[in-house]
Amino acid sequence: MTDRPLRFGVLGAANIARAFIAGVAPSAKVTVAAVASRDPAKAEAFARETGVPRFHGSYEALLADQEIDALYIPLPNSLHAEWVVRAAEHGKPVLCEKPLAISGAQAREMFAAARKNGVALVEGFPYLAQIQTAKLRELLAAGAIGKLKTIHAAFGITSADPQNIRLSPTLGGGAVLDAGSYATSLIRIAAGERPTRVHATAHFAANGVDLTTLATIEFANGLLAQMSCSFETGYHRHALIAGTDGVIETNFLNHPPRSGPAVLQVKRGIAFDAAFEPLEVPAGNGFLREAESFADMLVHGPERWTGASEAESIDIMDTLDAVAASACSGGWVELRS
Ligand SMILES: NC(=O)c1ccc[n+]([C@@H]2O[C@H](COP(=O)([O-])OP(=O)(O)OC[C@H]3O[C@@H](n4cnc5c(N)ncnc54)[C@H](OP(=O)(O)O)[C@@H]3O)[C@@H](O)[C@H]2O)c1
């Protein structure tokens, strides 16, 4: 335990790494000490642009850097497993971007590698670090809206650039793994348990990646959830959680909205005219909150991590596998327990 900030290394000059580096910049607990790119010139330019003091011209060099305490991995989805395992073998804890992997089997291998090497591994969903989400968890745990019966969680964007990793079948593209991982994580976390089976339908691009997918997700506790995700719509991000005694609406935002405060809407009671009560909660940059929670976890233990637990991340990945399988087969897909 030291007083100096946790020194992150960033693997890949990813677009989202720019937002991560800017987001954590005000922190006294964490700092980005080095970045790496497969291309040395790109690494140097990225370090200069983002104000990161050091850079490496290969990912291997960053893993071997003794002045890095932990890694932030924002690589294409298909590369998360390989580089998380390599990082673990170098004794580095990892904050890996969502989705953790491209299959439940990979996610299990990644956690096994982290355990074997005695390092922490967590999946980054910045909205889980927001006070709004902590408040949502608190309300659900306290039974504020009774027993949950239905959840609708939707996340859609427009992603049409064929060069974007999101549209690549070999890099783990597709709406389910991208926007769908967010909506599915919200459903899993609100449900508080692993789903039992999934039925999905999707529209696919000519190269095989899904562009728009809608899934029904069943739980043993009687909850029925619907997840929708798309690369073909205007931006929307919204969840409606309905229970026997009320309803909660949330936009499960990663970062504070530019248009105003983050708001949770809570309707207590079942009457037609029961009003939604807006619960305004402070919001901060999601990357800053997430990275500081990660640093606290490394020092004080897993209870300080506000994000998805290992079990939650595995359930989310298995659910995404089942959604993809069902969208191809057209039938229900059971999740093995
Ligand atoms: N939490 C969030 O809010 C959030 C938001 C957006 C994205 N994400 C996640 O972050 C990850 C990166 O997304 P992004 O949009 O930032 O991606 P991106 O801009 O395309 O960056 C991905 C980086 O991966 C590296 N890379 C290594 N092998 C590659 C290959 N074969 N093809 C392309 N790039 C390769 C590249 O870095 P070098 O060339 O420098 O090596 C590239 O800059 C994804 O897992 C995504 O789901 C999370």
Side-chain angles (χ1 to χ4, degrees), residues 11-330:
L11 220 52
N15 277 326
I16 202 62
R18 290 188 169 84
F20 179 86
I21 294 165
V24 305
S27 180
K29 283 187 188 177
V30 304
T31 187
V32 176
V35 294
S37 170
R38 296 163 298 168
D39 170 353
K42 190 175 170 188
E44 182 174 6
F46 190 74
R48 194 173 309 116
E49 174 200 332
T50 54
V52 172
R54 293 185 303 110
F55 59 89
H56 294 284
S58 75
Y59 297 167
E60 290 82 0
L62 179 61
L63 295 193
D65 186 334
Q66 296 300 313
E67 290 172 29
I68 292 299
D69 305 311
L71 285 168
Y72 169 66
I73 299 193
L75 294 174
N77 302 336
S78 62
L79 298 178
H80 291 181
E82 174 187 349
W83 289 98
V84 164
V85 170
R86 288 207 199 187
E89 288 167 354
H90 280 77
K92 308 277 197 214
V94 181
L95 170 58
C96 180
E97 266 303 341
K98 48 53 63 174
L100 187 64
I102 57 169
S103 70
Q106 278 192 349
R108 285 176 175 80
E109 284 167 19
M110 293 155 81
F111 282 116
R115 227 182 330 276
K116 184 175 165 201
N117 291 284
V119 295
L121 164 63
V122 289
E123 180 180 20
F125 284 107
Y127 84 95
L128 290 177
Q130 293 292 352
I131 295 170
Q132 187 192 58
T133 312
K135 188 73 193 158
L136 172 67
R137 287 193 201 249
E138 198 182 299
L139 286 164
L140 295 177
I145 58 167
K147 192 167 159 40
L148 299 194
K149 287 292 163 186
T150 62
I151 302 179
H152 292 83
F155 186 14
I157 57 172
T158 297
S159 184
D161 173 2
Q163 299 307 315
N164 194 298
I165 59 168
R166 284 163 189 74
L167 296 178
S168 164
T170 52
L171 296 176
V176 166
L177 285 172
D178 189 69
S181 66
Y182 267 108
T184 303
S185 70
L186 189 277
I187 288 170
R188 165 61 185 85
I189 275 152
E193 65 179 52
R194 179 176 168 85
T196 51
R197 63 175 193 155
V198 168
H199 188 274
T201 185
H203 292 159
F204 296 94
N207 69 6
V209 302
D210 73 292
L211 297 176
T212 296
T213 298
L214 201 147
T216 299
I217 304 175
E218 282 191 10
F219 292 82
N221 63 11
L223 168 66
L224 291 174
Q226 282 206 313
M227 183 283 286
S228 69
C229 55
S230 183
F231 284 161
E232 303 177 294
T233 68
Y235 173 90
H236 63 281
R237 183 165 167 142
H238 194 74
L240 186 147
I241 304 167
T244 50
D245 298 330
V247 180
I248 296 179
E249 290 187 359
T250 172
N251 44 15
F252 61 113
L253 291 173
N254 281 343
H255 309 291
R258 293 187 194 102
S259 52
V263 175
L264 267 183
Q265 300 271 0
V266 185
K267 183 196 278 228
R268 297 172 201 263
I270 58 170
F272 168 70
D273 55 357
F276 273 102
E277 171 197 334
L279 279 186
E280 285 196 14
V281 285
N285 181 281
F287 289 125
L288 175 64
R289 297 184 60 84
E290 177 180 82
E292 291 195 335
S293 164
F294 179 83
D296 287 344
M297 170 186 75
L298 296 183
V299 175
H300 302 291
E303 63 285 352
R304 296 293 287 271
W305 172 240
T306 52
S309 66
E310 175 175 338
E312 287 169 343
S313 285
I314 285 182
D315 289 352
I316 293 162
M317 230 30 266
D318 284 347
T319 308
L320 298 174
D321 277 355
V323 169
S326 174
C328 287
S329 71

